[in-house]
Amino acid sequence: MTTDNLQALPFISAGAEALFRVDPVIGDATHGKSRMQTGPWLSDERGLPCRGALGVLMDDVTGYPIAARIPAGHWSVTTELHL
């Protein structure tokens, strides 16, 4: 997959995306791609990365391509996410 064929998906930048510094998702109905800036805000009080730090990013890059395939006026909901 090359980024030449990817388009901006209808991205909703909410509080979680801003908080975790997740970029808008690009892709199509089968692939999603984004970036997330990392830093100390993703760490716990011991300075170790939090286990759930990638959750918002992974939910967006898997969810937006799914949402691109559903009929207008509908939305998907993540019920379970494993990495």
Side-chain angles (χ1 to χ4, degrees):
M1 176 177 73
T2 66
T3 57
D4 298 338
N5 300 334
L6 300 180
Q7 301 174 28
L9 294 171
F11 184 76
I12 300 170
S13 182
E17 283 78 13
L19 181 64
F20 286 96
R21 302 178 188 191
V22 175
D23 287 347
V25 177
I26 59 171
D28 57 25
T30 61
H31 296 88
K33 182 177 178 179
S34 182
R35 286 187 240 202
M36 182 177 83
Q37 186 178 357
T38 60
W41 56 88
L42 300 177
S43 300
D44 63 15
E45 64 278 351
R46 298 171 294 166
L48 300 173
C50 293
R51 293 181 188 178
L54 297 177
V56 173
L57 175 67
M58 294 309 299
D59 186 46
D60 285 352
V61 298
T62 58
Y64 278 92
I66 291 169
R69 294 191 300 250
I70 61 176
H74 292 82
W75 196 252
S76 65
V77 175
T78 302
T79 58
E80 194 169 332
L81 181 65
H82 293 271
L83 295 178

